[in-house]
Amino acid sequence: MCGIIGIASNKPVSTNIINSLKKLEYRGYDSAGLATINENQINEKKCSGRVEYLEKILFKTPAMGNLGIGHVRWATHGVPNEANAHPHSSEIVSVVHNGIIENSKILKHELEKKGKIFKSQTDTEVITLLLTDELKIKTPLNAVHDTLIKLEGSFALGIIFKEYDDMIIGARRGSPLAVGYSKDENYIGSDSYALKSMTNKISYLDDGDICVLTKDKVEFYDLSKNKINKKVLTLSDDKNIADKGDYKNFMIKEIFEQPITAKNCINEYIDKSREDINFYNIPFDAKKINKIILIGCGTAYHSCLVAKYWFEEFTSIEVETDIASEFRYRKIRFNKNNLYIFVSQSGETADTSAALDLCKKNKVKTCSVVNVVESTIARNSDWVLPIHAGPEIGVASTKAFIGQMLLLYMFSLKMGYLRGDIEKEDYQKKISNLIKLPDILIECLKTEDKIQLVAKDFLNSKGSMFLGRGFSFPIALEGALKLKELSYLHAEGYPAGEMKHGPLALIENGLPVIVISPHDKYFHKTISNMQEVIARGGKILLITDSNDNVISENVRFTINLPYLEKSLSPFLSAMPLQLLAYHVALLKKRDIDKPRNLAKSVTVE
Ligand code: AGP
């Protein structure tokens, strides 16, 4: 979480810092700030709340200077107020930080014993005060290097110095940091997305690296202060980034983009003439994989859960799923014949990245399913499968979820085929059905009008429940996550068969219960569970592809989806659930693209 930008230029930088911070807001948006160096002074401006407030402050009191750093915050230590907003500056140095300094309490205590006074409750301010001491006797590079040695935890840092009005120092350990190059201007940023409007030439710092940049040159150093070279990458040209067009917000744009993103992803991987899935350079023999372990967080974890059903259905491989924050601390029995698949939209999620590092240390096969191909997780895994969804800006993941599921669906089918676990005819039939998916998603999104009516039922409800079995169980979990994330209403997802083991006690008159029941092998069982809920007063929204009217009796609303193929039902039922969360949040006047307390990229554990 938190976003960092730094610009060294031959012209004033505050406008470009603000523009970059707006792009970084998806990483955190509870406070914002910047600092520039001008006429031998550190000029610091900060506020709680959004970048737009910071922009207003600058409008009244501009921050001059050709060099500066900026920050958007997702609070870890200290409430989101102005004092805790970054940068944290002393007389001579100013620091922006992404990550957590785990030994900050000890360091703070030592500094206080020396008589140092803290202005904030943050962990970051210890860096400022340590640096301030070191700079009295050392060059900026040596001061930064020697300060970093004292820090435990994860960080990406941007630092400027009163006495050096042409120098920014950046450093990375555990949190991402990119460097951008341009004529008479160089940059640091938390990700390439923030730098994209200024440059397409990028390098990435590795853990332990320090960079020193001026407007004309960038130097890199390793942990031991040896000069090192970095690869310069040219970024792809994403034309449709960050423009919400006529849509009210990014989330609804991204929901309605899904048929197109699905089409792009399918075109990328499917050879329609041969009805085959093209995965090039698979770095292992599919027949020799004994077990697959799918790992992710939040929505990405839900796509892993859906994929478990697909891998079990199409292959003879044993499959496990794991939440990255649990996986990374468990006593895992690693096995070289296993394949560890990491799923992450951003490719920067700290827990997922740490779980991947653990696999790398244990020298097992890794693969990542990501949206951001330049991300840490993509760069660190043996094999990358990009979902090609384009930038996802809304904090609530929608089109990336569909992209992740698509990739995992194709992957499970291909594995089944390569291993001889499914017949060619079945394989090709599933591919030809998959090609129809984008058009079917368009039909599913036409449920929006009815969903708007359903949404009203949630306005005065205490909470809600989402039920499904088989493929629909993870979709129930995802539907509940979307609703709570966006509307701040309590929502729980359950396997429908679990209801009578406890959750049924929560059912009372008028409680909205969403039942996802496509016409698969679980259909009649789920419908029986639904009747048990109806008998106790639950208000049902049934999402199904069955046209059986008898089933709909006593059901408050039924959303009828088209039928495509049983194993593809998760894609279809995800559409009305995303729309439901969106419309409830809209009625409740929530900040849809930036729900409270959350951030798009979770780069702290
Ligand atoms: C979902 O709507 C989320 N905002 C969240 O659960 C997200 O999926 C999770 O933090 C993982 O992010 P990643 O895909 O970038 O790793």
Side-chain angles (χ1 to χ4, degrees):
M1 341 283 250
C2 299
I4 288 178
I5 180 75
I7 307 179
S9 178
N10 64 351
K11 53 182 190 290
V13 290
S14 64
T15 307
N16 277 345
I17 289 180
I18 290 288
N19 291 340
S20 305
L21 288 182
K22 284 182 183 162
K23 298 210 173 86
L24 285 168
E25 263 193 318
Y26 77 92
R27 301 179 73 93
Y29 36 82
D30 54 39
S31 47
L34 62 73
T36 57
I37 307 277
N38 191 39
E39 295 177 350
N40 217 21
Q41 287 299 323
I42 294 175
N43 205 348
E44 184 195 273
K45 311 270 175 197
K46 48 196 202 177
C47 62
S48 65
R50 302 288 159 88
V51 177
E52 61 184 275
Y53 302 130
L54 183 66
E55 197 174 19
K56 280 183 189 146
I57 293 173
L58 288 174
F59 197 64
K60 285 189 196 145
T61 55
M64 303 307 290
N66 294 355
L67 177 123
I69 48 177
H71 189 266
V72 281
R73 179 166 185 249
W74 183 85
T76 59
H77 292 59
V79 295
N81 60 17
E82 189 184 324
N84 290 334
H86 299 216
H88 291 282
S89 311
S90 69
E91 271 280 287
I92 58 170
V93 66
S94 185
V95 179
V96 286
H97 167 217
N98 170 23
I100 293 181
I101 307 302
E102 285 166 2
N103 58 340
S104 64
K105 268 200 177 148
I106 302 170
L107 294 171
K108 189 172 177 181
H109 190 61
E110 285 168 8
L111 286 160
E112 278 172 338
K113 274 205 293 194
K114 286 189 195 166
K116 308 284 174 202
I117 294 178
F118 282 79
K119 293 181 278 188
S120 76
Q121 302 158 300
T122 64
D123 52 343
T124 309
E125 205 179 350
V126 298
I127 307 175
T128 308
L129 295 185
L130 288 171
L131 271 172
T132 305
D133 266 359
E134 297 281 8
L135 282 164
K136 287 179 191 152
I137 44 166
K138 294 177 188 166
T139 62
L141 179 61
N142 286 336
V144 170
H145 177 267
D146 294 353
T147 299
L148 299 191
I149 290 172
K150 296 178 189 146
L151 306 180
E152 283 168 23
S154 66
F155 51 78
L157 299 171
I159 309 163
I160 55 174
F161 311 86
K162 178 187 160 193
E163 300 295 335
Y164 298 84
D165 66 356
D166 59 346
M167 179 197 287
I168 300 179
I169 293 191
R172 171 192 166 139
R173 191 199 293 163
S175 299
L177 195 65
V179 164
Y181 311 84
S182 185
K183 195 173 166 335
D184 299 325
E185 216 168 70
N186 290 309
Y187 321 92
I188 52 167
S190 290
D191 58 30
S192 57
Y193 175 58
L195 305 179
K196 241 174 180 171
S197 62
M198 301 181 286
T199 181
N200 66 347
K201 298 275 179 253
I202 299 277
S203 297
Y204 289 98
L205 270 73
D206 290 309
D207 281 344
D209 291 350
I210 295 178
C211 63
V212 180
L213 52 143
T214 64
K215 66 180 172 46
D216 307 310
K217 110 174 159 204
V218 183
E219 286 173 349
F220 294 94
Y221 298 87
D222 67 10
L223 263 181
S224 324
K225 280 186 289 176
N226 298 315
K227 253 195 192 175
I228 48 170
N229 292 322
K230 288 269 151 196
K231 239 199 231 159
V232 179
L233 311 168
T234 304
L235 295 175
S236 53
D237 188 17
D238 263 321
K239 293 199 179 60
N240 63 340
I241 26 173
D243 177 9
K244 55 177 187 255
D246 290 337
Y247 288 99
K248 256 199 179 94
N249 46 53
F250 280 106
M251 185 187 176
I252 194 70
K253 174 182 179 248
E254 286 158 5
I255 289 176
F256 278 92
E257 251 169 32
Q258 292 180 108
I260 295 169
T261 51
K263 197 173 201 156
N264 291 343
C265 187
I266 287 167
N267 288 345
E268 196 68 34
Y269 290 99
I270 289 195
D271 179 338
K272 290 184 182 156
S273 59
R274 289 170 41 242
E275 287 184 320
D276 197 2
I277 300 167
N278 290 334
F279 282 143
Y280 297 111
N281 308 322
I282 304 182
F284 51 81
D285 180 347
K287 292 194 174 125
K288 293 195 177 141
I289 299 293
N290 282 352
K291 188 171 178 179
I292 284 178
I293 298 95
L294 295 141
I295 300 152
C297 301
T299 292
Y301 173 67
H302 293 157
S303 69
C304 294
L305 281 177
V306 183
K308 178 181 161 79
Y309 289 85
W310 287 326
F311 276 106
E312 285 177 350
E313 185 106 351
F314 307 146
T315 78
S316 53
I317 311 174
E318 195 186 330
V319 195
E320 261 181 35
T321 55
D322 228 313
I323 293 176
S325 55
E326 291 296 315
F327 179 91
R328 65 182 287 193
Y329 293 114
R330 294 224 323 273
K331 202 169 154 194
I332 305 281
R333 274 72 173 164
F334 288 99
N335 188 315
K336 295 210 167 19
N337 296 322
N338 293 352
L339 174 65
Y340 297 80
I341 303 176
F342 294 85
V343 183
S344 174
Q345 186 285 130
S346 62
E348 301 294 352
T349 299
D351 285 319
T352 315
S353 191
L356 169 62
D357 289 347
L358 193 63
C359 289
K360 298 292 288 177
K361 264 189 213 130
N362 284 281
K363 299 189 173 41
V364 289
K365 297 177 190 64
T366 59
C367 157
S368 62
V369 174
V370 295
N371 196 22
V372 183
V373 282
E374 302 98 1
S375 62
T376 309
I377 290 173
R379 283 181 288 125
N380 288 347
S381 43
D382 298 337
W383 192 45
V384 186
L385 291 168
I387 63 171
H388 298 289
E392 187 181 65
I393 310 295
V395 165
S397 190
T398 51
K399 63 175 182 171
F401 179 57
I402 295 300
Q404 289 160 354
M405 289 204 297
L406 258 174
L407 237 297
L408 293 167
Y409 186 82
M410 290 189 280
F411 194 15
S412 56
L413 265 185
K414 184 77 184 184
M415 287 290 278
Y417 184 59
L418 289 175
R419 293 166 60 91
D421 291 334
I422 58 170
E423 299 293 325
K424 185 170 185 184
E425 201 186 327
D426 193 14
Y427 174 66
Q428 294 193 320
K429 189 160 180 275
K430 290 208 159 45
I431 292 174
S432 69
N433 278 334
L434 184 62
I435 294 168
K436 296 178 197 149
L437 181 69
D439 288 336
I440 299 289
L441 292 183
I442 296 177
E443 292 307 307
C444 295
L445 289 168
K446 290 184 182 160
T447 56
E448 189 181 18
D449 286 350
K450 196 156 186 188
I451 289 289
Q452 277 175 285
L453 291 179
V454 179
K456 291 186 182 148
D457 274 5
F458 287 74
L459 277 184
N460 299 314
S461 74
K462 276 205 278 183
S464 59
M465 248 182 218
F466 290 68
L467 307 179
R469 284 173 176 246
F471 301 125
S472 303
F473 160 52
I475 296 300
L477 292 179
E478 175 59 9
L481 176 68
K482 279 294 89 89
L483 186 71
K484 57 188 142 191
E485 185 177 25
L486 289 165
S487 67
Y488 320 151
L489 281 175
H490 189 78
E492 286 306 330
Y494 282 105
E498 271 291 292
M499 284 302 281
K500 55 180 85 63
H501 301 289
L504 207 54
L506 296 173
I507 304 296
E508 57 185 26
N509 242 348
L511 185 88
V513 179
I514 295 87
V515 178
I516 307 144
S517 187
H519 217 279
D520 54 19
K521 66 177 176 193
Y522 306 97
F523 181 69
H524 292 290
K525 299 208 177 296
T526 311
I527 295 302
S528 302
N529 298 136
M530 180 180 87
Q531 296 305 342
E532 290 156 9
V533 171
I534 292 173
R536 285 151 183 95
K539 211 159 48 171
I540 302 287
L541 162 61
L542 173 64
I543 297 176
T544 183
D545 51 22
S546 159
N547 288 322
D548 190 337
N549 287 334
V550 180
I551 302 281
S552 302
E553 268 171 28
N554 298 322
V555 166
R556 183 161 162 83
F557 288 107
T558 303
I559 298 290
N560 291 104
L561 298 175
Y563 178 79
L564 183 52
E565 126 105 48
K566 289 183 185 59
S567 59
L568 290 172
S569 69
F571 294 94
L572 279 54
S573 35
M575 299 296 108
L577 293 179
Q578 292 172 351
L579 288 168
L580 177 66
Y582 174 79
H583 280 289
V584 175
L586 200 65
L587 288 175
K588 286 193 151 290
K589 300 196 172 27
R590 304 299 192 213
D591 191 341
I592 288 181
D593 285 338
K594 297 188 179 77
R596 72 180 180 199
N597 304 340
L598 300 179
K600 182 77 183 157
S601 185
V602 185
T603 56
V604 292
E605 71 164 298

